[in-house]
Amino acid sequence: MLTRIDHIGIACFDLDTTVEFYRATYGFEVFHSEINEEQGVREAMLRINGTSDGGASYLQLLEPTREDSAVGKWLAKNGEGVHHIAFGTADVDGDAADIRGKGVRVLYDEPRTGSMGSRITFLHPKDCHGVLTELVTSNPEH
């Protein structure tokens, strides 16, 4: 069962400049940053609040590390802005299978490693009314 909005992913050309905007404008601070080589992104997670299920809600700022990454291609086509929405779940495998059974295309056969050691998969935007949707099971160590 989906339990929360885990994060909103925002694609940007310059991570440092975008982080500074969110810090100066809204007071959001970087909770975690990393480079995800598999996804081809450098990212910063800005923690917005905690949630009753022990998770949190974040803004995820994404700068591509290479032009051929999914975020790099998306930025070239669309420019900066909201890239995806992610829902938190205790069971990404089970929820992905359930959603697949309802006719929605799940983009990964097996969940991959996401931010902060989470397990993730994506749902095809054409099956989700134009919204790239991510399912996230958080790493309990974070």
Side-chain angles (χ1 to χ4, degrees):
M1 172 170 49
L2 306 179
T3 58
R4 69 184 182 285
I5 295 175
D6 185 84
H7 66 271
I8 305 294
I10 300 172
C12 60
F13 291 111
D14 184 321
L15 185 65
D16 297 327
T17 299
T18 307
V19 164
E20 178 55 25
F21 169 80
Y22 281 95
R23 190 203 59 71
T25 305
Y26 306 114
F28 298 151
E29 297 293 337
V30 174
F31 177 80
H32 176 83
S33 62
E34 69 181 81
I35 295 175
N36 185 320
E37 296 292 347
E38 181 182 7
Q39 301 286 327
V41 294
R42 184 168 79 105
E43 64 180 81
M45 297 294 277
L46 310 178
R47 188 172 191 268
I48 307 306
N49 67 324
T51 61
S52 62
D53 67 354
S57 294
Y58 302 91
L59 288 181
Q60 179 187 46
L61 306 179
L62 301 159
E63 175 190 58
T65 58
R66 57 181 197 270
E67 291 178 13
D68 69 338
S69 70
V71 173
K73 290 176 186 176
W74 190 91
L75 264 173
K77 180 180 177 183
N78 300 291
E80 293 184 308
V82 175
H83 179 261
H84 67 274
I85 186 169
F87 295 109
T89 172
D91 181 10
V92 69
D93 298 275
D95 282 336
D98 181 54
I99 291 168
R100 180 182 280 122
K102 295 175 181 173
V104 175
R105 286 173 282 179
V106 177
L107 299 184
Y108 304 151
D109 290 331
E110 296 292 327
R112 297 183 181 176
T113 302
S115 300
M116 301 182 286
S118 62
R119 298 185 71 240
I120 65 166
T121 195
F122 285 90
L123 309 177
H124 200 292
K126 289 185 179 177
D127 297 342
C128 299
H129 298 272
V131 179
L132 179 62
T133 304
E134 182 179 5
L135 305 179
V136 178
T137 296
S138 298
N139 180 337
E141 296 178 13
H142 288 276

